[in-house]
Amino acid sequence: MKKILILFAHPAFQKSLINKTLMEAVKDMDGITINNLYEKYPDFFMNIPVEQKLLTEHDIIIWHHPFYWYSAPAIIKEWMDLVLQHGFAYGTHGRALEGKWAMSCITTGGSKEVYRAEGKNRFTINQFLAPFKQSANLCRMKYLPPFVVHGSHTLKRDHVQKYADDYRSVIQMLRDNKINSEQFNSIEYINEIIKQDA
Ligand SMILES: Cc1cc2nc3c(=O)[nH]c(=O)nc-3n(C[C@H](O)[C@H](O)[C@H](O)COP(=O)(O)O)c2cc1C
């Protein structure tokens, strides 16, 4: 069984619908650690050794957050800047994360249609996530296709719950090593694994 660390960031969690529902679906699972960054560090003063120890204790790292300004809420950047230190996460002797997997779980206001070259947002989600992909790569981690919930403002309650169920299934499959990593090459979002598996 793989150990999964969810680095969760939502600066207004009390107003959240989508991320709250996703988190409810995974929070009690065995082998999953939820690291709620805004709750833990409301003043942004991070305990770097604690965060690095958490990383070394897990096999899969998930950056889970709403999509803000085509990226992540600020605390995720702060976490990356401070925790992914040279000599720990990258560099000749920085091999603490080597061989681990990383993934993003994001929720977006925009629909899938607006995230393409001809759409209003001009780039795909995977293009916007390039800094995460390359950061993982620099740290010698494998970056998986993201779990994405689109159109958060227009989703009906039962659709939100379906996404949450799918998120739980994906986490379960990752934890139990049920995904053949070659499947990642042919999909845009890891959500598609559920359809393939059904
Ligand atoms: C500050 C801010 C920036 C946002 N930026 C984007 C964005 O760049 N692209 C997008 O599709 N949605 C954007 N949104 C919409 C959020 O992604 C959306 O409200 C969120 O995913 C809903 O999840 P929740 O119910 O858990 O809050 C933004 C929202 C806020 C408040």
Side-chain angles (χ1 to χ4, degrees):
M1 189 163 102
K2 292 192 173 170
K3 291 187 73 186
I4 301 183
L5 177 65
I6 298 181
L7 294 160
F8 179 70
H10 196 311
F13 192 49
Q14 71 285 358
K15 293 193 208 155
S16 162
L17 168 63
I18 316 294
N19 287 283
K20 193 172 276 173
T21 313
L22 295 182
M23 290 295 280
E24 279 296 319
V26 299
K27 69 174 189 198
D28 295 328
M29 292 175 73
D30 282 344
I32 314 300
T33 306
I34 309 280
N35 192 13
N36 188 335
L37 294 175
Y38 277 104
E39 188 180 82
K40 199 164 158 193
Y41 301 118
D43 54 9
F44 273 52
F45 283 109
M46 275 184 202
N47 189 329
I48 296 169
V50 164
E51 294 305 311
Q52 290 182 341
K53 183 165 180 287
L54 271 175
L55 286 175
T56 57
E57 289 168 350
H58 291 81
D59 308 299
I60 303 178
I61 316 301
I62 299 181
W63 292 295
H64 177 159
H65 53 85
F67 207 43
Y68 274 12
W69 286 107
Y70 306 106
S71 184
I75 206 163
I76 292 277
K77 184 66 165 54
E78 182 78 352
W79 179 94
M80 291 177 101
D81 292 351
L82 298 183
V83 177
L84 299 180
Q85 282 175 332
H86 181 263
F88 169 78
Y90 70 100
T92 313
H93 303 292
R95 292 177 174 264
L97 306 181
E98 188 167 14
K100 296 182 190 290
W101 289 2
M103 187 183 108
S104 294
C105 169
I106 59 164
T107 64
T108 78
S111 64
K112 178 127 198 272
E113 288 65 46
V114 301
Y115 282 100
R116 57 193 173 95
E118 308 76 26
K120 194 176 75 176
N121 287 332
R122 301 175 53 231
F123 301 95
T124 66
I125 289 293
N126 276 300
Q127 287 170 327
F128 281 118
L129 291 175
F132 292 92
K133 183 173 187 169
Q134 178 50 23
S135 299
N137 185 56
L138 185 73
C139 297
R140 302 180 174 90
M141 292 193 282
K142 179 181 176 63
Y143 187 70
L144 310 185
F147 186 91
V148 184
V149 179
H150 276 300
S152 57
H153 305 307
T154 54
L155 285 176
K156 301 263 186 321
R157 198 78 194 76
D158 52 340
H159 282 132
V160 178
Q161 190 54 51
K162 169 78 171 80
Y163 274 114
D165 294 344
D166 286 357
Y167 188 43
R168 186 183 169 90
S169 300
V170 165
I171 297 286
Q172 211 161 8
M173 289 168 82
L174 288 170
R175 181 196 64 187
D176 299 341
N177 218 2
K178 291 267 166 62
I179 305 182
N180 172 355
S181 64
E182 278 176 19
Q183 284 176 274
F184 297 139
N185 303 333
S186 58
I187 56 175
E188 184 179 10
Y189 298 161
I190 203 165
N191 310 48
E192 294 162 38
I193 291 279
I194 300 299
K195 290 177 210 142
Q196 285 180 5
D197 201 53

